Amino acid sequence: MQIGDLMNMSGVAFGTSGARGLAQAMTDRVCYAYTAGFLGYLRASGLLAPDAEVGLGGDLRPSTSRILVACARAALDLGCRPCYLGRIPSPAVAAWGLARGAPSLMVTGSHIPDDRNGIKFNLPTGEILKRDEEGISAQPLQVAETLFDAAGAFVEDQSAALPSEDPVAYREYVDRYLDFFPSGCLNGLHVGVYEHSSVARGAYVEVLEGLGARVTRLGFSEVFVPVDTEAIRPEDVALARDWAATGRFDALVSADGDGDRPLVGDETGDWLRGDIAGILCARQLGARGVVTPVSSNTAVERSGWFETVLRTRIGSPFVIEGMQDLVDRGMDRVVGYEANGGFLLATDIEQDGRILSALPTRDAVLVAVAILRAAAEQGKPVSALSADLPRRCTRSDRLKDFPTEIARARLAEIHRGDPARDRAAAQAVFGAAFGPVADLDVTDGLRITFVSGEIAHLRPSGNAPELRAYTEADSPERAEEMNRICMEILAKWRA
């Protein structure tokens, strides 16, 4: 058997950035096999030295501790030395590995509910890409079956396989930003950190305070909270408005469960859309080349702030491949971002003699600090930073528990490869609400541009049985109305 066979049997499969599935399906045996397959692939590719260190980190959901132990035991059995880096942000784990040329993995389900979990794998050179997923899937299943019972649980306690926590990765991650941004650059700002259950909460507080901001901790939770930075929960919208109504804060910041996707709120309690935050961060860092998925706000091109904007499929592996393409063309100051706000650095960034080293994986803390510094430098409230951007507003939402095969079949009914026929099919479904169809883009899902310039983009999620809708218009009210209408139309597709 191969790892790919195990995916089909267990329901734990690769999504956009690692393996994910129901926590109960991610048994000790499944997680052990996935880790063994990852390390076996590295060894076969010449990327894993004998007795190599392997970094392990995790988020705060209940199943993470058990999965970490299974991953550590697999690393030991493959002749490696597991190094437990703690419950720290995913980018901190990746940065640890990049600095040492060592593989790493992060046990996390990111923003999804805690009945699910996942494992993100990082090569010694960065995130795994789609070709690496194929190589891991083809690895032979290396499992000592006597380790597990019939349900896939360890027969004996294996907790000793996970060593004591080493704080070095967290410390290096915090220092990364304290060393790059000027001391005191956030003086005078009062920032609320919405902690909930994110592993980024400690790093946020330490970095912001270290740069001069006054910080108030808000919303701490012992129970895992599935904060999604792309489809923000109504309760998180209400919390931000309530905190802002006190008049105490210049900004609010938060992140998803594993700290790679930011939430940045202005002084009024409005959370910035992730793709707008990405544009502002890229501008503050002086980026020349910007890579972003097809779902992101078109204000990035319309702004004229960047020499090159490259569009990709949705997911960090595709953004990373796009960034590498620009680097291969000889471009420097190359960055990437996603609609969820995650920000990636393909090249080093130099400012005022300080260098921020490349980190080609999603990060949250960088976005928040860059935007806050922009507000402080320009003497503007956070709400005014996007005033120079063309007026393009986006919204996104999702239908949960929407079978992926049904979603894909419905989209295939509209797009069959005949441009005129396909435009007519899209207009038959959406024309009454949005007018004539100008163009269809199937880079990832189905992106419909109407003659009005408005956009509706429909896409099955790569991580969960969800159907997402992204809408773009010239006003937030219209973008929200479009999204609501899309949700109503798509809900009927389940039947």
Side-chain angles (χ1 to χ4, degrees):
M1 290 181 63
Q2 297 178 330
I3 296 297
D5 299 316
L6 181 66
M7 294 180 192
N8 296 329
M9 294 168 56
S10 67
V12 179
F14 281 117
T16 55
S17 57
R20 287 195 185 163
L22 290 168
Q24 64 183 18
M26 296 186 69
T27 63
D28 298 337
R29 180 178 181 272
V30 167
C31 297
Y32 178 104
Y34 256 107
T35 305
F38 167 59
L39 296 176
Y41 167 71
L42 292 183
R43 184 155 286 161
S45 304
L47 298 173
L48 189 71
D51 195 35
E53 268 194 312
V54 177
L56 308 174
D59 68 12
L60 295 169
R61 63 188 68 221
S63 57
T64 292
S65 295
R66 174 183 60 78
I67 295 172
L68 278 168
V69 169
C71 296
R73 177 59 201 261
L76 283 172
D77 289 353
L78 267 287
C80 299
R81 291 178 289 121
C83 182
Y84 176 46
L85 306 175
R87 306 305 176 92
I88 63 173
S90 287
V93 173
W96 176 92
L98 286 170
R100 292 160 178 79
S104 63
L105 57 86
M106 176 78 177
V107 177
T108 180
S110 187
H111 61 282
I112 58 180
D114 65 1
D115 65 336
R116 297 173 179 269
N117 212 328
I119 308 174
K120 289 183 178 180
F121 299 105
N122 297 305
L123 308 174
T125 53
E127 282 189 34
I128 61 170
L129 302 179
K130 292 302 175 183
R131 61 178 178 269
D132 302 307
E133 291 179 7
E134 295 170 1
I136 295 169
S137 300
Q139 287 298 300
L141 194 60
Q142 298 183 36
V143 175
E145 296 297 344
T146 54
L147 280 173
F148 309 97
D149 62 21
F154 282 122
V155 174
E156 298 179 358
D157 179 25
Q158 299 293 331
S159 57
L162 190 68
S164 299
E165 180 178 341
D166 185 340
V168 66
Y170 172 80
R171 186 71 263 150
E172 290 174 353
Y173 180 68
V174 169
D175 289 345
R176 167 182 176 83
Y177 298 114
L178 294 180
D179 293 342
F180 176 70
F181 289 100
S183 176
C185 67
L186 302 185
N187 283 349
L189 296 182
H190 186 186
V191 183
V193 174
Y194 175 26
E195 296 186 296
H196 63 92
S197 54
S198 174
V199 289
R201 57 194 181 191
Y204 262 136
V205 171
E206 191 167 350
V207 170
L208 294 175
E209 288 184 339
L211 295 175
R214 183 159 60 98
V215 172
T216 297
R217 298 171 182 253
L218 304 165
F220 178 91
S221 178
E222 292 281 3
V223 177
F224 188 81
V225 180
V227 169
D228 187 342
T229 64
E230 197 168 5
I232 301 173
R233 305 180 312 152
E235 47 266 62
D236 294 326
V237 172
L239 282 172
R241 293 287 172 81
D242 289 345
W243 289 326
T246 67
R248 301 164 56 199
F249 301 110
D250 297 296
L252 302 168
V253 301
S254 190
D256 64 343
D258 69 318
D260 68 347
R261 305 177 181 194
L263 271 179
V264 180
D266 65 23
E267 72 283 358
T268 72
D270 281 345
W271 295 116
L272 274 64
R273 302 296 301 178
D275 44 10
I276 296 299
I279 297 172
L280 296 176
C281 182
R283 187 189 197 191
Q284 179 64 22
L285 294 175
R288 292 180 58 212
V290 174
V291 180
T292 193
V294 66
S295 59
S296 295
N297 194 308
T298 59
V300 64
E301 288 97 349
R302 299 183 183 205
S303 69
W305 290 350
F306 311 105
E307 292 182 30
T308 300
V309 176
L310 180 65
R311 294 283 185 159
T312 71
R313 291 178 61 187
I314 296 171
S316 58
F318 302 110
V319 174
I320 292 168
E321 289 177 347
M323 293 193 303
Q324 188 58 52
D325 180 31
L326 293 188
V327 172
D328 290 344
R329 296 186 208 173
M331 181 166 281
D332 61 359
R333 305 181 79 87
V334 175
V335 306
Y337 67 84
E338 299 180 87
N340 56 42
F343 199 88
L344 308 89
L345 288 182
T347 58
D348 294 351
I349 299 291
E350 187 273 332
Q351 286 187 347
D352 303 323
R354 299 181 177 90
I355 295 178
L356 185 65
S357 59
L359 183 57
T361 193
R362 285 189 299 246
D363 189 19
V365 171
L366 175 60
V367 178
V369 176
I371 290 174
L372 291 173
R373 188 187 180 197
E377 282 187 335
Q378 298 175 37
K380 295 179 178 179
V382 171
S383 61
L385 291 179
S386 57
D388 294 336
L389 282 169
R391 186 71 169 168
R392 295 296 286 176
C393 304
T394 57
R395 288 292 181 270
S396 61
D397 203 351
R398 68 195 189 281
L399 292 174
K400 298 181 180 179
D401 301 317
F402 198 115
T404 301
E405 61 274 14
I406 294 178
R408 288 176 176 162
R410 292 289 191 177
L411 295 180
E413 289 174 6
I414 296 175
H415 186 270
R416 295 184 180 174
D418 180 335
R421 178 260 167 213
D422 295 347
R423 285 194 299 272
Q427 190 163 318
V429 178
F430 298 99
F434 307 136
V437 172
D439 186 46
L440 301 180
D441 185 326
V442 290
T443 299
D444 199 339
L446 180 64
R447 186 172 174 87
I448 308 167
T449 301
F450 300 93
V451 171
S452 64
E454 295 176 339
I455 296 171
H457 182 186
L458 317 172
R459 175 184 177 266
S461 171
N463 294 323
E466 298 173 349
L467 180 56
R468 290 184 178 265
Y470 311 81
T471 52
E472 181 175 326
D474 288 336
S475 73
E477 294 79 14
R478 178 56 175 166
E480 187 170 346
E481 179 187 28
M482 289 182 67
N483 209 268
R484 176 183 56 77
I485 293 170
C486 282
M487 288 292 103
E488 292 172 355
I489 293 172
L490 300 182
K492 298 175 183 177
W493 287 9
R494 282 180 169 140

